[in-house]
Amino acid sequence: MNLITKGHEPQLRERLTTLGASLFARGLTTGTSGNLSVRVCDGWLMTPTNASLGTLDPDRLSKLDENGRHVGGDRPTKESLLHLALYRQRRDAGGIVHLHSTYAAAVSCMDGLDPVECVPPLTAYFAMRIGRLPLVPYYRPGDPALATAIYDLAARYHAILLANHGPIVSGTTLESAAAAIEELEETAKLFLLLRGIPTRALSDQEVSQLDRGR
């Protein structure tokens, strides 16, 4: 359901805060880590800096205009540049979820990952919801160079793993982005559990036969 109209902004605020509380309650984010955003008709709503996803206030969400300027609410997350880079490259993106979830963050710290496909397609659901997962080299949080690196990849990938950091995923809706990042977290868990065990990932042919609609 497309709610990107001015009259529906209050509903998008409620949806963002409800999702944040759900992610926090299920341990997919802790403390004040992670951030969410959603596209609205005249810009974006984002979670504020140093805010816990478990206790978001819909009236205090950061509002950014179409040029990425902060125009309302609390000061936005310092990782707002990452969100804007994805939105500007992916015009179909309606929502973005960035987490420091345990298993995906653990994979992001591993040495020797394939930068083009750092987690293989172990399940059909990962292949459908994520596709290929590239790795961006480490940059400090908030570094504009990280946003540039993401922008360069975002034309081809809607999900990206940030080295020594965590995943960021866009979707046509906020809920689809959340579903995809949860699938990524579960597959990262499988990837770690299977280390050292002979493992069969899906073949290119098997992946090509799947419906990859998001």
Side-chain angles (χ1 to χ4, degrees):
M1 177 171 55
N2 184 357
L3 290 180
I4 303 176
T5 64
K6 188 148 186 84
H8 286 114
E9 184 174 312
Q11 292 165 269
L12 289 169
R13 287 176 177 271
E14 291 292 341
R15 282 167 54 180
L16 191 151
T17 55
T18 298
L19 177 63
S22 174
L23 293 170
F24 187 87
R26 291 179 291 127
L28 288 162
T29 180
T30 60
T32 59
S33 68
N35 32 81
L36 312 175
S37 66
V38 64
R39 189 192 296 272
V40 294
C41 67
D42 55 353
W44 297 274
L45 296 172
M46 292 190 185
T47 50
T49 188
N50 294 322
S52 168
L53 298 191
T55 56
L56 294 171
D57 181 341
D59 294 327
R60 297 182 63 179
L61 295 176
S62 304
K63 177 73 175 285
L64 279 67
D65 68 13
E66 294 173 327
N67 296 310
R69 292 189 296 255
H70 179 213
V71 294
D74 291 350
R75 187 161 55 93
T77 168
K78 63 178 173 292
E79 294 177 327
S80 60
L81 293 177
L82 309 187
H83 292 250
L84 293 174
L86 271 168
Y87 282 120
R88 286 168 174 157
Q89 189 70 280
R90 303 192 69 84
R91 299 296 178 177
D92 65 336
I96 290 174
V97 179
H98 169 48
L99 301 176
H100 305 165
S101 49
T102 302
Y103 293 102
V107 171
S108 80
C109 297
M110 294 172 64
D111 193 24
L113 293 171
D114 181 348
V116 176
E117 188 174 48
C118 53
V119 174
L122 296 175
T123 69
Y125 299 99
F126 179 84
M128 289 188 288
R129 290 180 173 164
I130 297 296
R132 288 187 182 273
L133 181 69
L135 180 72
V136 169
Y138 174 77
Y139 295 89
R140 64 172 175 80
D143 188 338
L146 177 55
T148 299
I150 284 179
Y151 182 83
D152 291 341
L153 287 171
R156 289 170 290 155
Y157 307 100
H158 78 108
I160 299 168
L161 189 63
L162 317 180
N164 302 89
H165 192 156
I168 186 167
V169 177
S170 71
T172 54
T173 65
L174 184 61
E175 289 79 7
S176 66
I181 208 167
E182 289 185 56
E183 192 65 44
L184 193 164
E185 176 70 358
E186 286 302 305
T187 307
K189 182 177 181 179
L190 292 175
F191 181 64
L192 292 169
L193 287 171
L194 291 168
R195 296 292 288 176
I197 300 174
T199 302
R200 189 191 84 87
L202 297 182
S203 68
D204 289 343
Q205 181 179 4
E206 289 168 330
V207 169
S208 70
Q209 293 169 345
L210 296 170
D211 176 7
R212 299 176 68 177
R214 294 187 293 273

